Amino acid sequence: MYSLERPVQGQSSCPKDRLGRKRRTVVSSLTEDEELTEILKSYCSNKVTTTKYSFLSFIPKNLFEQLHRFANIYFIFLAALNFVPVVNAFQPEISIIPILLVLAVTAVKDLWEDYRKHKSDKFINGLVCEIYSRKRQMYVDQRWQDVHVGDFVRLSCNEIIPADMLLLYSSDPHGVCYIETANLDGETNLKQRQVVRDLPRQGSELTPENFHSRIECENPNNDLSRFRGFMEYPSKARVGLHNNNLLLRSCTIRNTETVIGIVVYAGHETKAMKNNNGPRYKRSKLERRLNVDVLWSVVLLVIMCLTAAIGHGLWLRNLKDNSFLIPDTTSPALSGFYLFWTMIIVLQVLIPISLYVSIEIVKLCQIFFIQNDVDFYNEYMDSRIQCRALNITEDLGQIQYVFSDKTGTLTENKMVFRRCTIAGVEYPHEENGEKSKYIFLHNIFHQGDASMELTYIVDFFMALAICNTVVVSSPNQPRHVSRTPLKSLEDIKMLFQRFGLPRFSTLSPPHTTESPRSFTRRLFSRGKAASFTPRLDGVPGEDGDQGYEEEGDGLENSNGGEGPPSEPGADELIYEAESPDEAALVHAARAYRCTLQGRSLERLLVELPGMGSLAVRLLHILPFDSTRKRMSVVVRHPLTNQVVVYTKGADSVIMDLAESPKGAEQSDGRQGHIREQTQKHLDNYAREGLRTLCIAKKVQTSTEYEIWLKRHAFAETSIENREELLLESAQRLETNLTLLGATGIEDRLQEEVPETIEALQRAGVKVWVLTGDKQETAINIACACKLLRTTDQLLTSSSSCLVSLQEACKALLLELRAEVERGEAAEGTSGFTLVVDGRTLDFALQEDLKGDFLELSRRCRAVVCCRSTPLQKSHVVQLVRDQLRVMTLAIGDGANDVSMIQVADVGIGISGQEGMQAVMSSDFAISRFKHLRKLLLVHGHWCYTRLANMILYFFYKNVMYVNLLFWYQFFCGFSGSVMTNSWVLIFFNLLFTSAPPLLYGILDKDVSADTLIKLPELYKSGQNSKAYLPSTFWLTMLDALYQSLVCFFIPYFAYAGSDADMLSFGSPINASALLIILLHQVIESRTLTWLHVLVLVGSALFYFSFTLVFSVVCVTCSPPTNPLGVDKLQMSQPLFYGVCALTTVLALLPRFLFHALRNSISPSDTLKAALMDQLNPDNYCRRMQHWNQTQAQSKARGLIINVEDLDIKIPDFILPKELKECRAATGSVLS
């Protein structure tokens, strides 16, 4: 789904806020107050302009922008310098060709992009919406660009919101509006918005003339999840404004017939436009290395020009017979100074400015290949890989550390409700479709405690059903039809009385004439047996589940009758949740006849077995946040009329908050027993790899609630520090909770996750898992995905104070070093895995412990950080990246992973079940974790090696050709003359040798994809930057120096003593240089196809054709020299071809012999793998088996823990046997 908004690059149409206010004041645009009208006029209009240029400003502005690039300034400086008579090197008009070509191509590209933006702006600004007109006293159609702050906008279902507006009216009788934010963040789940609380009720639509309230809110910002402000009524009463009152631009109205809002932000001040900042830009590691070598090229250029300048001055000073020179009074020193700038012009191609353009072209082609790889296509989701960062493809081949989230990244994030514990008693949830004879019947009653047990059960499932933000809909319900009004409280009470069921007290048992066992059987008879994995459009799951299958379980009502009929279409309800956890819990409650049937602004409709539908008044929702790690709802119980707080959250938090209720003497011992048993069950769930949540509640008296409500209302109406005040308010309420129970939800591993992690580890990549789950759950998942092996030694670090942690870290480090020194690892231990909890991680990230923590973790094969917050995740990634100076990759699927994705060198988002926040913040987006293997091991390897080799080839060919011009200076008195005409000099790099390097960087392939997948160890060459080391760069420069010497002096000696003139001497040199450069690429290329042959032969034919035609038709094309007939004459002589052949052979012979000897004596693993690709299948298998046996034997002789410092060794690529158990340290493995 694509957004309507694009990156903001044009000038904003907003007038400057003349008052410089810290807050924004918004009133109705119908106001007659002149001062308030002036305030409204100071805000942005809704017209959006993303273009850069106008008709008149295009040429000067585009030229000004292009002058910000160093390459363009360099070219313009050289072109201008060549117009200076005392320093010009050749025909001035020719020198402007490169810069004119570069500027013209870039200008055309920018003009085309800007024209497309102009068309899109015109379309968006011309969209129509209904705005209230003061003159016509009605809503009229107006274009989006005519909307202003303070206007009243009326929208219908499926219409797009034109500006950020405060919701004042909804056709839904409960003041609820539903929006779809797919255009904004890619999420298709419906979000609920509500009319401003306490807004005066009206029987019909809002009348704008009667709206006299004043809105105070924060200034425009890009935070999509926050909106702070208040509305002040004419009575001076204030009500707080929140994010759920705001309708954001680009979102779509759903499930609501009509809404009316007042515009608070328009145009470039809307949150949608504030969040569109253009494509992500990062500098790759290879690019940083390239910039260093470009500086070395500059140094080399200066040295060569200084040498020529000094040589020219000395030559003039020592010249005795200067009768052939034009008389000149210029001193030798000044002539040398002029010559310095002349040589800058002559040797300009030494600085590979065109290399940057070539790199961009190659990267675009690499991205094209990645995006069109069919292996990355997910047929179920109909999605493929997205490349959002266009300039770091080569970094994919140099990754050393991978930081992964667990839920939704390693696992499916499709939650299946498996087990629960209520009041200290565990109840299993059987597999799909199986009969469950013991649900709520086996060991749940103790003598005298049956009624209390029922109270816990009812409250537990009530919390599962209502403690969420789930939106309820039905599949056959159009997305524009609003829901049926909920039943009144009195109707629910009458229904309750009709069934003869007494009211439940929160602490006192309900009175019933039935036996506890029969009552429970009637109350919670299970009508469905299903796994509660949300399904879309009835598509069966991957495990064969077919949705919800009705199947009796043998449990009947005690009276032999059937329960009350459910609401029509109840089985067709669809729950749209913001997280899979919420959906799983609501589906679990529904399976046991505790069904959430509807949601409105102030009420929830819940159906309980035996009691029918109950309307629960919703007082407050305290949403989940990463600080509290819990969420709560405050409701008015429909039966007891008490204020009840239902809370669900992480067990580490809820268990600390669960205290014995005041005044409940009998419950002290019971609550202690419940906490003890629940903790045991939680530990068992974690060892089984289940995700755990604790459920609790709290009953407040009217006095306590009123006191809390006053403080909470103040926090809601605050603009400054609202988040802090709301956090404090929620924490005050969520204390002394009564623990009800806990849930165990299964989140299965994605397919091929163990194989992917094993391949990454064999490739030398350290894998860290950063999760918020319990330690036992994290360890179990690590074992299941083969991050933790049976032969690994598990190191756990869990400390409650700083001193003990520091001592523990140092002790573990010393122990690890001792283990390595004693060689215990070689006797069966393959490595060490470190497990750190969140509290320990807080201490480890402090300044004085960073070193010990990093030293310890660096020695471990894998690290698992559990109970970690989003902020801790980003701090860990940043610490490893900055302190160890390694290439990092972070991968996640949720909003809590955004910070670490943005901090890492390469961020990868998974388009899973938790929306698109991670994808929107990432550099690359994939649909499954298994795609990471091919993305790194294959495409990453190819992108890095191709780009690195192309860069070296660029430096080589530039230095090689420039040195030819430099050697000639020793024979022309360092005069700056060249032995070729200026056209060939300019076109040599611009045209004749430009296409082969591009093809080299796009299509060269050293090893096939299958071999790279089977031998992940080949990836280590990229980690160690073996393709582009400083030594490699300087060896390439020396080789270019040698080849230039051969290419210059063989023709020099061949034509010595002849009557060949300067251009005749330069003709075989240019031809030889071209052949050497092209054949050099043939030697270095690992792949030669018909396309390579076509380009190489075409480049050579293009050169010879151009020079031949040029020498035939050009008479005065290159004054003062005359190339007429020179190349034609040279190409007709056998000596020309003999010189070219001999020069080419001698120049390339050392490189050819070096490759031959190295590949014969000590071939690289990459070469051996490439040779295996050429074998037939039988020979390939035999060779691979022999290789694996050899490597396995060498590996058995000694094990080195720190794989970063190893040379490439190819161990057995056959995947090890499946881990069956990990009992010693991890418990059972998640199947």
Side-chain angles (χ1 to χ4, degrees), residues 512-576:
T512 176
T513 56
E514 296 178 307
S515 68
R517 187 178 300 273
S518 63
F519 181 80
T520 304
R521 180 176 298 179
R522 185 165 70 86
L523 189 63
F524 291 102
S525 61
R526 188 174 173 202
K528 296 182 181 181
S531 68
F532 307 104
T533 304
R535 304 289 186 216
L536 299 176
D537 302 326
V539 179
E542 297 180 4
D543 55 359
D545 298 346
Q546 301 293 330
Y548 301 103
E549 300 177 2
E550 300 234 3
E551 183 170 344
D553 57 2
L555 300 180
E556 301 176 354
N557 295 336
S558 59
N559 57 6
E562 296 180 357
S566 59
E567 292 286 332
D571 291 340
E572 299 179 357
L573 292 176
I574 289 180
Y575 296 131
E576 298 188 66

Side-chain angles (χ1 to χ4, degrees), residues 12 14 90 113 152 160 228 259 362 387 456 490 550 623 648 957 965 970 985 1111 1163 1166 1221:
S12 172
C14 312
F90 41 80
E113 290 179 353
F152 291 90
I160 300 175
R228 298 182 295 190
V259 298
V362 169
C387 299
Y456 275 96
E490 295 302 323
E550 300 234 3
K648 69 176 181 182
K957 76 181 185 71
L965 307 177
F970 289 89
L985 180 63
S1111 68
T1166 303
E1221 293 183 344

Side-chain angles (χ1 to χ4, degrees), residues 113-131:
E113 290 179 353
D114 212 54
Y115 176 69
R116 293 175 61 191
K117 293 175 184 177
H118 171 72
K119 290 180 62 177
S120 181
D121 288 344
K122 185 177 180 180
F123 171 77
I124 292 175
N125 291 328
L127 294 175
V128 176
C129 63
E130 292 185 339
I131 303 176

Side-chain angles (χ1 to χ4, degrees), residues 667-801:
S667 65
D668 288 345
R670 181 177 183 83
Q671 271 292 300
H673 173 74
I674 291 175
R675 285 198 298 271
E676 181 181 351
Q677 293 300 315
T678 302
Q679 187 61 56
K680 290 182 180 179
H681 297 151
L682 287 171
D683 295 338
N684 291 334
Y685 295 167
R687 281 189 286 270
E688 294 176 9
L690 302 181
R691 292 168 56 86
T692 57
L693 279 177
C694 281
I695 312 297
K697 78 166 203 175
K698 177 183 180 179
V699 179
Q700 279 205 312
T701 64
S702 299
T703 303
E704 292 173 339
Y705 176 68
E706 291 296 331
I707 295 175
W708 175 84
L709 184 60
K710 290 180 180 179
R711 296 180 178 178
H712 190 71
F714 172 76
E716 285 184 326
T717 56
S718 300
I719 296 181
E720 286 80 13
N721 302 322
R722 171 183 284 190
E723 285 72 23
E724 292 78 3
L725 293 174
L726 288 175
L727 178 61
E728 293 176 2
S729 176
Q731 290 175 340
R732 282 196 301 269
L733 183 67
E734 297 164 334
T735 56
N736 298 324
L737 302 178
T738 300
L739 182 64
L740 298 176
T743 61
I745 300 177
E746 181 185 42
D747 187 10
R748 298 174 180 172
L749 281 179
Q750 294 182 16
E751 70 278 9
E752 298 184 29
V753 167
E755 292 82 355
T756 301
I757 290 182
E758 184 181 27
L760 292 177
Q761 289 182 330
R762 289 175 55 195
V765 178
K766 296 287 191 71
V767 180
W768 290 31
V769 174
L770 311 178
T771 178
D773 286 334
K774 290 172 63 67
Q775 185 180 92
E776 293 82 358
T777 305
I779 293 176
N780 187 274
I781 293 295
C783 186
C785 65
K786 295 186 179 179
L787 183 67
L788 177 61
R789 301 176 181 174
T790 54
T791 55
D792 284 349
Q793 182 173 341
L794 189 64
L795 306 176
T796 58
S797 178
S798 177
S799 302
S800 58
C801 65

Side-chain angles (χ1 to χ4, degrees), residues 31 70 83 91 104 118 166 184 403 589 607 615 630 703 776 785 870 951 986 1019 1041 1217:
T31 183
F70 173 76
F83 278 89
Q91 193 173 349
H118 171 72
L166 197 64
L184 195 62
F403 299 89
E607 181 185 18
R630 58 188 179 273
T703 303
E776 293 82 358
C785 65
I951 291 173
I986 292 296
Y1019 184 79
L1041 179 65
K1217 294 181 180 180

Side-chain angles (χ1 to χ4, degrees), residues 80-311:
L81 196 63
N82 201 46
F83 278 89
V84 180
V86 294
V87 298
N88 69 331
F90 41 80
Q91 193 173 349
E93 293 79 8
I94 300 177
S95 64
I96 66 174
I97 292 178
I99 186 59
L100 287 180
L101 184 63
V102 171
L103 293 179
V105 171
T106 306
V108 170
K109 177 183 71 70
D110 293 342
L111 180 62
W112 172 247
E113 290 179 353
D114 212 54
Y115 176 69
R116 293 175 61 191
K117 293 175 184 177
H118 171 72
K119 290 180 62 177
S120 181
D121 288 344
K122 185 177 180 180
F123 171 77
I124 292 175
N125 291 328
L127 294 175
V128 176
C129 63
E130 292 185 339
I131 303 176
Y132 190 81
S133 171
R134 177 190 297 179
K135 294 181 180 180
R136 302 179 61 179
Q137 301 292 309
M138 60 181 295
Y139 288 94
V140 297
D141 288 341
Q142 292 283 351
R143 294 178 299 177
W144 277 25
Q145 67 181 23
D146 298 325
V147 176
H148 296 84
V149 174
D151 285 346
F152 291 90
V153 179
R154 182 172 66 183
L155 299 172
S156 301
C157 185
N158 298 328
E159 288 188 342
I160 300 175
I161 302 169
D164 292 352
M165 1 186 288
L166 197 64
L167 182 59
L168 302 180
Y169 168 80
S170 171
S171 58
D172 185 277
H174 304 286
V176 173
C177 167
Y178 297 92
I179 63 173
E180 183 182 274
T181 60
N183 287 336
L184 195 62
D185 57 16
E187 296 187 34
T188 56
N189 288 340
L190 296 184
K191 308 295 191 303
Q192 180 176 284
R193 297 293 181 262
Q194 60 188 39
V195 173
V196 177
R197 188 182 292 271
D198 298 333
L199 200 66
R201 299 291 181 185
Q202 297 179 357
S204 58
E205 284 190 5
L206 175 76
T207 305
E209 285 91 348
N210 298 333
F211 183 84
H212 303 293
S213 300
R214 180 173 59 89
I215 299 168
E216 292 279 346
C217 60
E218 59 187 353
N219 284 325
N221 58 74
N222 62 353
D223 192 341
L224 296 173
S225 61
R226 188 190 75 183
F227 177 67
R228 298 182 295 190
F230 63 84
M231 178 183 292
E232 185 176 273
Y233 298 120
S235 62
K236 302 301 180 181
R238 292 183 176 182
V239 60
L241 304 177
H242 306 272
N243 192 54
N244 57 2
N245 304 131
L246 191 66
L247 303 181
L248 297 179
R249 177 186 173 109
S250 299
C251 298
T252 306
I253 302 296
R254 302 291 189 193
N255 281 40
T256 312
E257 293 179 359
T258 306
V259 298
I260 296 176
I262 184 172
V263 177
V264 292
Y265 305 124
H268 290 276
E269 292 180 341
T270 58
K271 292 181 180 291
M273 297 301 296
K274 290 280 187 182
N275 273 276
N276 284 297
N277 297 319
R280 296 173 57 81
Y281 182 84
K282 291 183 178 180
R283 291 179 60 193
S284 66
K285 181 180 180 181
L286 190 61
E287 185 179 347
R288 294 193 294 267
R289 175 65 204 171
L290 168 63
N291 293 335
V292 174
D293 291 337
V294 168
L295 293 178
W296 281 116
S297 298
V298 173
V299 173
L300 184 60
L301 175 63
V302 172
I303 293 174
M304 295 171 72
C305 293
L306 282 175
T307 302
I310 296 173

